Amino acid sequence: ARLTGSAAVPSYPGPHVRFDLALNGLDADRYLPPPSADGGASPAPATPGEAAGAGAAQLPLQPLRTLDVSGELDVGRLRVRGLRLDDLHLALDGRAGRFRLHPLTARLYEGDYQGDVRLDVRRATPRVTLDERLSGVAVGPLLHDAVGKAHLTGDADVEATLTFAGSEPRAMLRSLSGQGRYRLRDGTVAGVDLGRTLRAAYRALGEDGGNRRAAGTRFRELSGSATIKQGRLHSDDLTLDAEVMDLTGKGHLDLAESRVDYRLQGTIPDDAAIKELRGLNVPVRITGPVSDPKVRVDLATALEQRASEALEKEREKAQKRLDEQLQEKKEDLKKRLEDKARELFKF
């Protein structure tokens, strides 16, 4: 690694620190402590802002409260907690226990990142506020490097405003709150094969068709908004435009426990392979750990509903035919009575 630039401490105590530095590249993971031996490592931050905020919150608080710092840093290539960044630029300014990283920009997995990070260490528990934007980021490689497995792939646009508190990673995650929007294009939901589950449910006439070793579900677009409260992400407007069916619905993702629970309504396309299912509206439930979710398709209820609707339509048609026949008979009887009256009264 080659570091160039300038740094100064114009006054001490305080201290006052000023810097303007450029680093060609660094693998920070070579210098960070390894994961705990008990395997209880926390999920890695997925963005530069989350990594910077989480890292700063773990620094000794008292020296931070007396620090006066201002400067800029450019890094050509950086690897930290598995996350790979290029062309990182940050400007840091802070004093009296409050710090801001802005602008914070980077190239991130074929896309762009923009962040605004604020750290407040004036109280006993440090607090971090994030305002982040990701554009065109390849989610699969990012998740693979951050958490070891790509549960989701696709090109993502994400906007989020988040806060968390504490100095221990899992406590930070459990305190995470905020809101955001997301849109992924041309990707896969790994471990959830809706097509195979649908076929299994059809064969079983509504029995549990869960598929725990599914390859995945391809989609054209996955989008929605989210509200995060105490590490629990809730979405009321999830939409999935997939090849096997379109889904809408709501549910939640527990970030600390990495578990999901979504209740969705699927619409099977009119060109589906199974003719009897074309156009059918199907309840779908996704629950369990993110790494191995269980999918249930309530096909029996959907087919019963379709049969009930078809029966109701036939009843309405029969009633309409009966009403028409009755009306015809009434009109015929009326005509005969009129003819008889003319015959009797000679008019």
Side-chain angles (χ1 to χ4, degrees):
R2 183 177 67 255
L3 179 67
T4 60
S6 62
V9 185
S11 65
Y12 199 93
H16 292 191
V17 178
R18 304 292 181 263
F19 63 90
D20 186 359
L21 301 170
L23 182 66
N24 69 328
L26 179 69
D27 184 351
D29 288 347
R30 296 175 61 187
Y31 307 96
L32 294 174
S36 58
D38 60 4
S42 301
T47 68
E50 292 174 18
Q58 296 180 70
L59 296 174
L61 299 185
Q62 189 55 40
L64 284 177
R65 291 172 183 144
T66 61
L67 180 64
D68 183 325
V69 61
S70 179
E72 296 189 13
L73 172 66
D74 289 286
V75 183
R77 299 179 310 280
L78 177 65
R79 181 182 178 90
V80 54
R81 295 297 186 192
L83 199 67
R84 292 178 288 109
L85 311 172
D86 294 297
D87 302 328
L88 173 68
H89 173 77
L90 65 85
L92 171 62
D93 186 70
R95 58 195 54 81
R98 291 188 294 180
F99 302 88
R100 185 182 186 189
L101 281 170
H102 183 265
L104 174 58
T105 62
R107 288 286 299 167
L108 181 72
Y109 294 88
E110 303 177 26
D112 295 306
Y113 170 84
Q114 293 181 325
D116 185 351
V117 182
R118 298 172 186 263
L119 171 67
D120 188 338
V121 297
R122 291 175 296 173
R123 297 178 177 83
T125 302
R127 184 177 182 84
V128 176
T129 301
L130 304 171
D131 190 349
E132 301 185 297
R133 303 286 185 276
L134 297 103
S135 303
V137 173
V139 172
L142 185 151
L143 290 177
H144 183 272
D145 288 350
V147 300
K149 186 174 181 180
H151 306 300
L152 189 66
T153 69
D155 294 332
D157 297 332
V158 180
E159 299 179 3
T161 302
L162 307 168
T163 62
F164 60 84
S167 56
E168 193 274 326
R170 287 204 175 273
M172 294 179 191
L173 198 56
R174 290 191 179 96
S175 71
L176 187 66
S177 298
Q179 56 188 5
R181 296 195 61 83
Y182 55 90
R183 184 166 72 99
L184 287 83
R185 300 171 299 276
D186 301 323
T188 301
V189 182
V192 177
D193 192 331
L194 287 174
R196 186 181 301 179
T197 301
L198 188 64
R199 292 190 294 272
Y202 183 69
R203 288 194 300 268
L205 297 177
E207 294 298 325
D208 182 6
N211 178 19
R212 300 184 65 82
R213 291 183 175 81
T217 296
R218 290 283 306 168
F219 62 84
R220 289 175 285 268
E221 182 170 297
L222 169 63
S223 63
S225 61
T227 300
I228 305 100
K229 187 174 183 180
Q230 296 181 338
R232 190 181 176 95
L233 183 153
H234 184 84
S235 178
D236 284 325
D237 58 356
L238 181 145
T239 63
L240 178 69
D241 178 8
E243 296 174 354
V244 63
M245 71 172 73
D246 293 335
L247 289 166
T248 60
K250 61 183 180 179
H252 67 264
L253 165 63
D254 191 320
L255 297 171
E257 302 299 329
S258 294
R259 297 184 67 86
V260 297
D261 188 350
Y262 276 86
R263 297 174 183 268
L264 308 169
Q265 191 72 24
T267 302
I268 299 175
D270 293 334
D271 59 353
I274 303 175
K275 294 181 179 179
E276 293 79 3
L277 303 184
R278 291 176 180 176
L280 192 67
N281 293 320
V282 185
V284 178
R285 183 84 181 272
I286 302 175
T287 59
V290 172
S291 59
D292 190 18
K294 191 167 186 177
V295 185
R296 294 183 179 89
V297 175
D298 191 356
L299 199 55
T301 298
L303 289 171
E304 288 173 5
Q305 180 65 26
R306 168 174 279 186
S308 177
E309 291 173 354
L311 186 61
E312 179 62 21
K313 288 180 180 179
E314 288 299 320
R315 189 194 68 79
E316 291 175 355
K317 288 180 181 178
Q319 184 64 48
K320 185 178 179 181
R321 287 195 300 268
L322 180 60
D323 291 343
E324 290 173 349
Q325 290 172 0
L326 288 173
Q327 184 63 30
E328 289 174 359
K329 288 182 178 180
K330 287 179 181 180
E331 292 176 355
D332 181 61
L333 178 60
K334 180 181 178 182
K335 185 177 183 301
R336 282 189 290 160
L337 288 174
E338 290 175 349
D339 292 343
K340 192 67 174 176
R342 289 190 185 96
E343 181 181 338
L344 290 172
F345 298 105
K346 308 298 184 181
F347 66 86

